[in-house]
Amino acid sequence: MTILANDFKRLWDDCAADVQHGVTRVGASGWYVLGGEVQSFETALSTYADLPHVVGCGNGMDAIEIALRCLDIGVGDKVLTTSLSAFATGLAILRAGAEPVYCDVGDDGLMDPDAVKQALEIYPDIRAIVPVHLFGHMADMAALRPLADAAGAVLIEDAAQAIGASRNGVRMGALSRASCTSFYPTKNLGAIGDGGALLTADATLAETALSLRNYGQTEKYVHDNIGLNSRLDELQAAILSGAFLPRLQTWTDRRRAIARRYLDGITHQAVTLCPGADPEGAVWHLFPVLVPAADRAAFMAHLGKSGVQAGIHYPKLIHHQKAMTQRGSVLCCGDLPKAQEFADCEVSLPIHPYLSDSEVDQVIAAVNGWVQ
Ligand SMILES: *Cc1c(COP(=O)(O)O)cnc(C)c1O
């Protein structure tokens, strides 16, 4: 039996009855798009995340595009981000019409404030910064905020992997204009399909986002903005609020307990742990380790033979993807050696909340038993 990176069968076994309740409720209501379920899910998520406004969207990538467009960032504007992320981060910036600029990460794989400082010196016209809370670890928002303020840039958090995360007491969304999250099924709060949300303390921004997600409509048949069709649907909202959001804190606690077990148990000298700055505040979407680049394929093959499904996040940096390079010159602050190190050396171990302690110990034994 393989220990999976995500175990949707166990998720279903646990949640099926609650999911089916949601489906029945929506089906019987006769109202399938932008109704009471979306509204009550937005309210519930707002409470959970401690942010006053939540706007459900079609997916996490659209939420980032909408956040940028709410702040009037578009054609001709530069947006600083990290190249070590899901491609969607860079693509959302392009879709907004803006130009991504990439800077390097630190030892934790997260946007490095020193690299941001340098980037803002090289490109003083950067208008927005999109840090990514990769692996469920929050970027150093307390360091980024004064840099952004001094440069006159806005901060938008890519929190697709980090719903509910904090770092030394600073919560996701507390120091930025907006945070964007994803309900893609593998995420910590995953739907049974696509979904995403924009979270903000800014009422005006939230109002614009409500309009942009729905064709830029301000009242019925009145379109004041060039919008998108990016709505969270009633079914996903009902499933999220009835089945998955009520379990999120338990799941997050379980992910943290597994992370602690890994951090204490993995002792192989060639396997480098990435505890991050605040392992207790992180929500551990993934559990990344680093191994020497030349040995990664062998390490992954060894894990596979030991019944452990591992992943790589991410094997190719965003600014090296053909979709980016074919557009012409890519704005990049140097060679991004740290981001490249993650691309070459990172391996993600299973950390989904339905892992048993004995499975976690099996993963630890497999890692420690690797003969390099
Ligand atoms: C998943 C993800 C996204 C995109 O979310 P979708 O819902 O798939 O559009 C963006 N950024 C990061 C870091 C992600 O992990």
Side-chain angles (χ1 to χ4, degrees):
M1 269 246 308
T2 302
I3 299 172
L4 299 171
N6 295 287
D7 197 324
F8 294 110
K9 178 165 184 333
R10 289 184 193 177
L11 175 79
W12 182 252
D13 289 345
D14 181 27
C15 303
D18 293 330
V19 172
Q20 280 155 355
H21 264 118
V23 173
T24 303
R25 207 164 60 234
V26 172
S29 78
W31 192 284
Y32 303 144
V33 171
L34 288 190
E37 294 291 345
V38 167
Q39 237 166 35
S40 62
F41 171 66
E42 288 170 342
T43 303
L45 187 62
S46 157
T47 303
Y48 185 85
D50 198 18
L51 284 162
H53 308 282
V54 173
V55 178
C57 300
N59 53 70
M61 187 177 86
D62 284 355
I64 299 170
E65 178 186 340
I66 288 171
L68 288 164
R69 289 173 54 178
C70 283
L71 293 162
D72 263 327
I73 288 156
V75 176
D77 295 327
K78 293 188 180 74
V79 177
L80 184 63
T81 192
T82 161
S83 195
L84 181 69
S85 182
F87 188 71
T89 309
L91 186 53
I93 294 167
L94 281 189
R95 296 283 306 173
E99 189 61 37
V101 180
Y102 303 96
C103 70
D104 210 0
V105 296
D107 290 334
D108 51 8
L110 306 171
M111 206 178 216
D112 175 14
D114 288 332
V116 169
K117 194 160 183 272
Q118 283 169 21
L120 291 168
E121 281 160 15
I122 301 169
Y123 300 102
D125 56 343
I126 284 171
R127 287 202 55 211
I129 304 176
V130 181
V132 178
H133 303 325
L134 199 65
F135 312 130
H137 295 252
M138 262 186 64
D140 192 352
M141 295 302 295
L144 294 177
R145 177 62 191 265
L147 295 175
D149 286 351
V154 294
L155 273 165
I156 294 168
E157 297 172 52
D158 179 342
Q161 304 187 359
I163 187 74
S166 66
R167 175 173 174 146
N168 304 324
V170 177
R171 297 186 61 146
M172 177 207 97
L175 295 181
S176 68
R177 296 296 295 276
S179 286
C180 302
T181 199
S182 164
F183 309 126
Y184 184 77
T186 61
K187 301 293 157 80
N188 287 28
L189 178 60
I192 301 192
D194 276 307
L198 180 159
L199 300 91
T200 181
D202 180 333
T204 310
L205 194 156
E207 200 182 321
T208 310
L210 285 172
S211 158
L212 287 181
R213 76 169 175 188
N214 191 26
Y215 316 131
Q217 181 170 275
T218 46
E219 359 170 348
K220 198 168 185 186
Y221 304 133
V222 177
H223 299 265
D224 292 340
N225 303 302
I226 307 241
L228 295 72
N229 177 350
S230 185
R231 303 175 289 232
L232 181 63
D233 65 58
E234 288 282 286
L235 266 179
Q236 297 304 338
I239 292 166
L240 285 164
S241 59
F244 298 150
L245 183 58
R247 289 174 167 84
L248 180 57
Q249 194 52 52
T250 307
W251 286 341
T252 299
D253 293 344
R254 180 64 190 144
R255 285 176 184 272
R256 285 175 175 152
I258 296 168
R260 274 195 294 279
R261 212 172 174 95
Y262 281 151
L263 290 172
D264 292 341
I266 294 172
T267 53
H268 197 294
Q269 50 83 26
V271 177
T272 304
L273 299 166
C274 306
D278 183 0
E280 301 301 314
V283 294
W284 294 100
H285 174 62
L286 297 167
F287 190 90
V289 299
L290 300 174
V291 296
D295 296 327
R296 181 165 68 179
F299 179 63
M300 292 194 66
H302 163 77
L303 290 179
K305 266 188 256 147
S306 313
V308 176
Q309 185 184 51
I312 298 176
H313 298 89
Y314 291 90
K316 191 167 185 175
L317 297 176
I318 294 175
H319 77 287
H320 289 156
Q321 299 282 357
K322 187 175 167 200
M324 290 291 168
T325 57
Q326 74 183 359
R327 299 176 55 252
S329 64
V330 170
L331 302 182
C332 200
C333 304
D335 293 335
L336 316 188
K338 265 290 163 191
Q340 192 59 52
E341 187 188 333
F342 272 81
D344 295 338
C345 304
E346 195 269 352
V347 175
S348 301
L349 301 178
I351 193 164
H352 69 76
Y354 291 99
L355 288 173
S356 68
D357 283 349
S358 81
E359 287 172 323
V360 175
D361 290 343
Q362 237 176 288
V363 175
I364 294 170
V367 171
N368 290 341
W370 175 43
V371 181
Q372 199 183 350

